[in-house]
Amino acid sequence: MRILTFTGKGGVGKTSVSAATAVRLSQMGYRTLVLSTDPAHSLSDSFNLPLGSEPYKDHGKPSCY
């Protein structure tokens, strides 16, 4: 298991980079869980999915939760 964290100041692209990384890793066949501790819903906007507290299987992206 490998854990990647994306940190930094606000507005530097953490959400965009983490979403893109999750999509690419899932395309490569890695089981991928992407999550955020930010109360803003920008990560759910990146995936065009509802915000929730349970993992959601994104059927458009293999192996991505």
Side-chain angles (χ1 to χ4, degrees), residues 47-59:
F47 287 104
N48 196 28
L49 295 171
L51 185 64
S53 60
E54 295 294 321
Y56 177 85
K57 174 71 172 142
D58 185 357
H59 297 285

Side-chain angles (χ1 to χ4, degrees), residues 8-47:
K9 296 175 73 171
V12 297
K14 296 179 298 292
T15 299
S16 298
V17 171
S18 63
T21 301
V23 169
R24 181 62 184 132
L25 289 174
S26 71
Q27 290 170 339
M28 294 172 64
Y30 292 98
R31 289 184 305 158
T32 305
L33 174 67
V34 60
L35 58 92
S36 176
T37 59
D38 191 342
H41 51 81
S42 54
L43 186 58
S44 67
D45 289 345
S46 295
F47 287 104

